Amino acid sequence: MRYRFLKVELKRHHWRRFIESDNPVAAALLAKMAYNKAEARDVRFAYLRMILRLRKKLDGARVALVMSVADLYFDPKQETDEALLRELHEQYPEEGVAEMELMPAWKRWGYEEGIEKGIEEGLEKGLEKGLEKGLEQGEEKAKQAIIRKMVAKGFTPEQVAETIEVPLEEVIKAMAK
């Protein structure tokens, strides 16, 4: 058996040749085509524009697949993409909400940000509750120590209860420990 495969060298193809196409593979692999650092922002903008066009022709799952592959190659930056989305919104206001659904990376950033915030809030609340509980336990141990010392000095359980203003049952329990 012999296998023959076609080899496509993306770096040999200039990205501008593909930006007008409605080919999802071209959109996904646009970042791997030939461009220089100065063109990187233009390539990302063209890619986002392609995705907006593809959303009208493909179902959501296919668009998400194209976008996830492209995000592997583009290494999107939140600040840059926010600026690009604002620019897209200004140039193509009819797209509206669709622009916000463009980037799975944004969802990832939001998720990561949410996790961080949740951990911080959880730690904060945990520390507060732990401190509160620790103080309560400390007060309880101090009270029991005072009860034992007073009884050891000859105070009756009734006198101890009256002096430190606790129920007699609590004094008796502390004496038993």
Side-chain angles (χ1 to χ4, degrees):
M1 269 193 210
R2 284 189 184 188
Y3 293 97
R4 291 184 183 209
F5 297 98
L6 294 175
K7 181 180 175 184
V8 177
E9 294 181 7
L10 294 172
K11 291 287 183 188
R12 291 185 182 208
H13 296 282
H14 197 273
W15 65 278
R16 289 192 190 274
R17 285 184 48 204
F18 296 93
I19 60 172
E20 294 303 320
S21 98
D22 286 333
N23 183 336
V25 175
L29 299 176
L30 200 61
K32 298 302 281 177
M33 295 179 188
Y35 64 91
N36 58 40
K37 285 188 180 193
E39 293 177 307
R41 187 177 191 284
D42 294 338
V43 173
R44 184 74 172 160
F45 187 83
Y47 157 74
L48 293 173
R49 189 65 193 120
M50 286 177 81
I51 292 296
L52 285 174
R53 281 195 322 266
L54 286 172
R55 284 185 80 250
K56 295 173 184 168
K57 297 181 179 194
L58 299 176
D59 61 79
R62 286 185 173 90
V63 171
L65 176 64
V66 168
M67 290 168 41
S68 64
V69 170
D71 278 347
L72 291 173
Y73 298 128
F74 272 115
D75 188 28
K77 305 284 184 261
Q78 186 172 4
E79 301 80 32
T80 306
D81 282 350
E82 285 173 352
L84 287 173
L85 275 183
R86 278 192 300 276
E87 193 176 324
L88 264 174
H89 184 71
E90 288 168 11
Q91 288 184 22
Y92 306 98
E94 70 279 0
E95 297 295 343
V97 178
E99 294 164 358
M100 292 312 292
E101 297 171 6
L102 280 178
M103 295 188 218
W106 279 41
K107 291 177 186 173
R108 187 173 57 246
W109 293 323
Y111 176 77
E112 289 166 0
E113 205 173 287
I115 293 289
E116 278 179 36
K117 205 173 211 172
I119 289 172
E120 285 174 21
E121 288 177 14
L123 284 173
E124 218 172 273
K125 285 181 183 176
L127 285 173
E128 279 178 30
K129 284 188 178 188
L131 187 59
E132 199 175 289
K133 191 158 181 102
L135 286 172
E136 285 174 12
Q137 287 175 349
E139 286 175 7
E140 186 61 33
K141 283 185 179 184
K143 193 186 326 177
Q144 289 178 3
I146 290 170
I147 291 170
R148 283 193 295 274
K149 282 182 185 178
M150 288 180 76
V151 170
K153 296 251 182 200
F155 286 88
T156 66
E158 291 80 9
Q159 290 173 322
V160 173
E162 187 181 317
T163 305
I164 61 172
E165 299 175 345
V166 295
L168 182 59
E169 297 81 30
E170 198 172 320
V171 174
I172 294 169
K173 245 189 223 178
M175 289 172 43
K177 288 184 181 178

